């Protein structure tokens, strides 16, 4: 266990790394958490760092993440940098004895992720990863109901996710592919709501844009899951949605069913011409606006109260394993058992 | 009480009067009730009568309603003729000892209606009026919940009704006006779901078509109700709806609220362009398709089992009284107490 | 093509075979179709036949289906008998030159079904099978929208069906199994809404009742579909639902998405204790009440107007082929291509 | 027009007055607005002031509102103090040349409110009042659609509001009564969405708690509105809701209808026992969480860009006039025309 302890819970010194679009969202959240005091904001682009600094009235804007992490007043680090830097910054922070909240994933391969898991375990430093859906009020309530046994024995799981806009080709090449980059959120929900998965089978297609094929990737997939507790699941994943962000999750059991979905964004219905209409969320930032706030509040709440924040690196590892298994299943056109996904094979 | 008794409950002989649009709907329903045997179908237009006869494979198509009523094999009469003929046909049938199901209203004035109420009471003949909403599954369930006390003490009632198409000017002149012709359905629901009304105040406007003003009528109205049990209510009435049939009823009390509304007709939702859409019912015939069947099934079910069918003439009388009170309130720009609406004053 | 022609479209003579629970539903529908005249009602149980006869005022109640079919006044036969008799009665009727509406399936094996398809093709007799969902207003509207191109290129299909009550063990043994008996309805929708399937993979479990295992069957399954047009699909099937009949179908494409679902049965919402509730349909008979009427109306409408009714035997054959493929995939734990499912292998 | 101008739009100095429950909500919002710098937080209870100061990292916590207002670095004042102090603090701030955002109402009587309106007009100082509903995304969208003509000619308005918990008796005595304290929000929406009201008639009852009668107040009311543009409206108001916060607003016109309502709080539906359930919002703080943020963001946005913030004192005055008219109508049991509500008569 950790010997990590916040010095003064009424004022936690924070280094904030990475002021891109999501960085702005997260730094605004920090501005509203009373006992968070951002000391340093870092971004290789100093102008961006300064923009972030101004929002939260931090002391310093710096180009070097390392410098921000090592500021002696810093006790916790928030990482919102590009994916490829997560593992090394996490390592740096943990070794410096700082608590870490980091955007997911730790890394796109199991070896690197396992290394961080081991490091965190050894040091006992509190680390939380950005699986924000777990903090959406819908999924929180679903989790609570499931834990109180409202569904009886769980029998089926279904997740649908369609992002509104396909990513840029440039991004695609380093994204890890459809399962690691996008389906991973639904796979994490599967583990969160139902339990560990035993076996997976995935089929994929390029239906939206041929550039996905050029990137050796797919844009549409269906996946079957077989859980250790006997439940069966399906996951549908698509890179584009003409009707706005589309996400729906269902868990059904012997005595009940839960559906998490927010089909309507604005609380207004317009009736005209023998029908009615309402709007959908545009994309994940508006759909999960509350969740993005809650995940950071939860992290600092845990630090304040001396609890271990969650989801931690082990969850990130196991969810990654599931995404890797799905990728292999798609590539090799066969079912893949999770317990066989131990050694790293390039996906 | 009545000495009326069906001879052979497995085959009730029926005279069907009036084969207009609603007549076709009702006669099809009769065709599907196993123990109903339509003997004669009457309509001054013999072609229409014959059309009705063919649907239900009745023995005779006749021009004279009287002839149909008096056929010795006829035990029950179904009246779907124009409003102005209801009272006299009802009288004819009741005096001939035949049970009657009639479209509402009995008449558009209290004196005539009271006369029929008295006649039916004296003879003990079973008579049911066509307030079909009482048989819609939504209102049936609401009534049941209210009777089991699910709402606690009832505090407020709200009814909205918008017909899809305004009526023809020709019809308007003999319709009895907005309150007697249209709001009457919501006023009946107020009595059905909440109880008797003590006082009413109504405001009206001509917003849709100036011809309503020419007919000394209005096309839009709001009405306040004060019930004897203390509850307060509002009723909104409009002669036209650009978005399809619009009807919503709310009853709220100390412990709960019931909303009866069928906002979506077809069970399909279409998502596109960052939103979704679905359809409304077009008008009362599709919205109340089930209710139109159930009210006739209920009537013949009551006859078969020897029960008194409901709603009967007294309900028709009290609901008419409420509509007359609302009309007076609108015309005289003052609140009207129901107990003052006894003598007939031309509305 | 057929030389079949109804003699007098204003009165079609019908033989009705099989007066079980669904038989009662269908015979009531026939009673409400003006130009249908049921001549004979047949059921090995003469009491049941007589019960059916009375409802529709048919001329005869007989024990022998053959006798009913061969009545010279009969032009069309409605088959609602047990599954095992469908093929032989269909054959009898078609060979006698009578149009046929039959409950699905034609048979539980491909050879027998193919034989009937060939027979019907040769004779040109109009034959329609009871895939009632195709007549539900939700699926009808979905089909229309898809055909007008509202979805653009179809990308994904998803069907969920959960029957409310598991079937009796006795029935299970001759049911053909989960895919042929139950998932078949969703597989038919897949073909109806999206197109022909190229490959299928299914996983199954026994989660509800061990007796399914004893019957060499499963009670829960997930299935992946790959369509010839590139679309991907998932189907979830369960034999029991604690929350009422559960059926939801989704079709998504490049420009829109359609969801067919009727989540609420009665148009009433009850608010209490900081929440609200409404009811689900109990089971397929209430959910598809309208569809059960429409499919028969459509059949007789087609006969009346000289059109070929649909869905016909070829649809039944192709949908069965898909269900057989899914069954094989589950049993053999491998993907199954539809074009390999030609010779009959016992499922 | 005003000569008021923010010195440095990138940093607006603010005095924050009143750290009660709503004060905490508002001060957290200010913490997240980048160009707001709270200089002083004032509350007679210094501990509360300090609590507020810490959240927003203000320079000073003081007991005296006057002192905070007059801090030379302060350019804008946010007033969240008890209602009885609004007018005098507004006056103090405006005379000191500071922009003001204040919780509604300015005052509970027309004379005092008119005085502030005049003062603000003379000085040209930007003042915004806390009618937060106008910033809820539902009402914002409704307003936009109405202004683009989506409804055609507006015909009817309907507002329902039920607070979850009745207020304390102590509060009641100085609340101004049901119409000034609670219905006022719906009356403001009526003006915001439809236009000015010409005549009002209200009925009230004590159905929830006899203490309302003791306070010479009512707990339940229905009100009719007649707008100058011809539209008719109804407003229903109740002090208690057993099923959570209940607010629904409808505006209907010749070509369409808008309904603003957020019936479901958490995006999760739970199906069980042949039905489904979901939750309602608990009360106005969670229902209008976004609106409470947006109204302050809008105020500082207007200051930043040199626009006049809205709704201002004139809106507060006219909405108050409407509430006073409704109160008189209820007390005097007669319709009240708005243009007659000029001189102050104690309500």
């Amino acid at each position: 266990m950790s010997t990590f302890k916040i010095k003064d819970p009424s004022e936690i010194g924070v280094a904030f790394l990475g002021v891109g679009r999501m960085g702005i969202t997260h730094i605004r959240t920090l501005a509203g958490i009373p006992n968070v005091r951002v000391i340093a904001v870092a971004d290789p682009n100093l102008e961006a760092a300064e923009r972030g600094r101004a929002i939260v009235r931090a002391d310093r804007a710096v180009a070097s993440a390392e410098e921000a992490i090592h500021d002696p007043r810093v006790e916790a680090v928030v990482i919102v940098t590009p994916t490829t830097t997560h593992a090394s910054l996490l390592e740096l922070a943990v070794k410096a004895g700082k608590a870490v909240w980091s955007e997911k994933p730790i890394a796109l391969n199991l070896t690197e992720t396992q290394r961080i898991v081991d490091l965190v375990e050894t040091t006992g430093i509190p680390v939380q990863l950005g699986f924000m859906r777990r903090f959406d009020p819908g999924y929180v309530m679903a989790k609570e109901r499931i834990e109180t046994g409202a569904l009886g024995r769980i029998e089926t799981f279904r997740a649908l996710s369609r992002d509104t806009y396909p990513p840029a080709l440039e991004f695609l090449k380093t994204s890890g592919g459809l399962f690691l980059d996008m389906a991973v959120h639904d796979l994490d929900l599967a583990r969160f709501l139902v339990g560990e998965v035993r076996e997976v089978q995935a089929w994929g297609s390029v239906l939206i844009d041929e550039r996905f094929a050029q990137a050796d990737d797919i844009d549409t997939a269906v996946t079957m899951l077989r859980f250790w507790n006997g439940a069966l699941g399906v996951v549908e994943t698509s890179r584009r949605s003409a009707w706005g962000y589309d996400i729906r999750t269902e868990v059904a059991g012997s005595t009940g069913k839960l559906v998490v979905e927010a089909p309507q964004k604005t609380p207004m219905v317009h009736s005209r011409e023998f029908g009615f209409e309402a709007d959908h969320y545009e994309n994940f930032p508006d759909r999960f606006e509350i969740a993005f706030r809650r995940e950071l509040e939860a992290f600092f709440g845990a630090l304040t109260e001396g609890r271990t924040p969650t989801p931690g690196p082990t969850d990130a590892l196991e969810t990654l394993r599931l995404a890797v298994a799905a990728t292999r299943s798609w590539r090799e056109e066969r079912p893949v058992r999770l317990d066989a996904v131990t050694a790293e094979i390039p996906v």
Side-chain angles (χ1 to χ4, degrees), chain A:
Chain A
M1 268 297 101
S2 169
T3 60
F4 180 90
K5 198 160 178 306
I6 288 295
K7 280 173 245 155
D8 175 4
S10 76
E11 190 165 304
I12 305 175
V14 168
F16 190 95
L17 316 183
V19 189
R21 207 183 50 163
M22 276 312 300
I24 294 288
T25 298
H26 286 316
I27 211 161
R28 283 212 173 126
T29 295
L30 294 190
I33 302 179
N35 68 334
V36 163
R37 174 158 185 97
V38 179
I39 304 295
V41 176
D43 197 293
N45 175 345
L46 246 183
E47 262 182 57
E50 173 53 29
R51 210 156 37 234
R53 191 209 61 74
I55 289 170
V56 77
R57 301 185 188 289
D59 295 356
R60 314 165 54 194
V62 297
S64 157
E66 192 166 354
E67 193 181 333
I69 290 168
H70 286 125
D71 187 304
R73 292 168 299 174
V74 164
E75 295 181 276
V77 178
V78 173
I79 302 175
V80 200
T81 57
T83 292
T84 50
T85 66
H86 289 178
S88 59
L89 291 173
L90 249 163
E91 186 174 2
L92 215 57
V94 167
K95 285 186 171 167
K98 319 280 171 127
V100 180
W101 185 95
S102 173
E103 272 296 353
K104 57 152 273 289
I106 294 175
L108 290 172
N109 68 75
L110 290 168
T111 309
E112 186 77 350
T113 305
Q114 180 72 62
R115 202 172 57 79
I116 298 294
V117 166
D118 294 344
L119 175 68
V120 170
E121 218 155 80
T122 308
T123 58
I125 294 293
V127 173
Q128 181 179 327
L129 279 302
F131 291 96
M132 82 289 187
R133 289 188 187 176
R134 292 185 180 216
F135 296 90
D136 172 74
Y139 293 105
V140 168
M141 188 182 278
K143 178 73 170 175
E144 286 168 2
R145 298 269 171 110
I146 289 169
E147 289 192 337
T148 62
L151 300 194
R153 176 184 183 174
I154 294 183
E155 295 168 358
T156 53
F157 170 83
R158 185 258 178 153
L160 161 74
S161 286
R162 295 185 75 117
D163 276 353
T164 309
Y165 313 105
L169 182 59
E170 200 53 36
F171 169 78
L172 269 190
K173 289 170 179 167
T174 61
S175 72
L178 185 70
F179 298 99
L180 266 67
D181 181 55
M182 199 192 141
V184 68
H185 282 288
D186 281 326
L187 298 174
D188 187 59
L189 286 178
R191 294 184 54 254
F192 181 58
L193 296 173
V194 182
E196 297 301 335
V197 172
R198 183 175 170 183
E199 190 177 15
V200 61
Q201 171 118 25
W203 283 359
S205 282
V206 175
L207 299 172
I208 297 169
D209 194 326
E210 275 306 315
R211 287 177 303 176
F212 283 92
Q214 289 158 25
D216 193 24
D217 200 356
I218 48 179
D219 53 35
T220 308
V222 290
T223 306
M224 297 196 298
L225 307 175
R226 189 190 298 276
F227 295 85
W228 280 100
N229 61 18
L232 296 173
V234 291
V235 178
E236 296 160 75
T237 314
S238 168
R239 284 288 195 181
R240 186 256 293 117
S241 166
W243 49 97
Y245 191 55
D246 196 352
I247 166 169
R248 180 181 169 98
T249 315
E250 307 173 16
V251 189
S254 54
T255 58
K257 182 173 84 158
L258 304 178
V259 176
V260 179
E261 191 180 22
Q264 189 180 342
K265 178 181 180 179
T266 308
M268 197 206 76
V269 173
H270 187 166
S271 291
R272 78 278 168 281
E273 292 169 306
F274 290 33
F276 62 95
E277 59 172 6
D279 64 353
H280 283 311
Y281 282 89
E282 186 196 338
N283 209 349
F284 64 89
D286 55 353
R287 169 62 184 87
F288 286 114
E289 186 186 351
I290 295 174
F292 282 123
R293 270 191 279 144
R294 295 273 165 86
E295 63 177 348
L296 281 168
E297 291 168 359
F299 173 66
F300 286 103
L303 293 193
T304 302
E305 298 167 20
R307 287 183 283 102
T308 302
T310 175
T314 304
D315 268 316
L317 176 65
E318 293 312 316
T319 293
L320 176 65
R321 195 188 310 279
L322 186 46
V324 168
T327 308
R328 281 191 200 165
S329 171
W330 157 59
R331 286 203 185 284
E332 301 173 15
E333 300 188 355
R334 61 175 183 90
V336 171
R337 286 185 56 123
L338 269 283
D339 50 19
V341 183
T342 48
E344 190 71 15
I345 300 166
V347 297

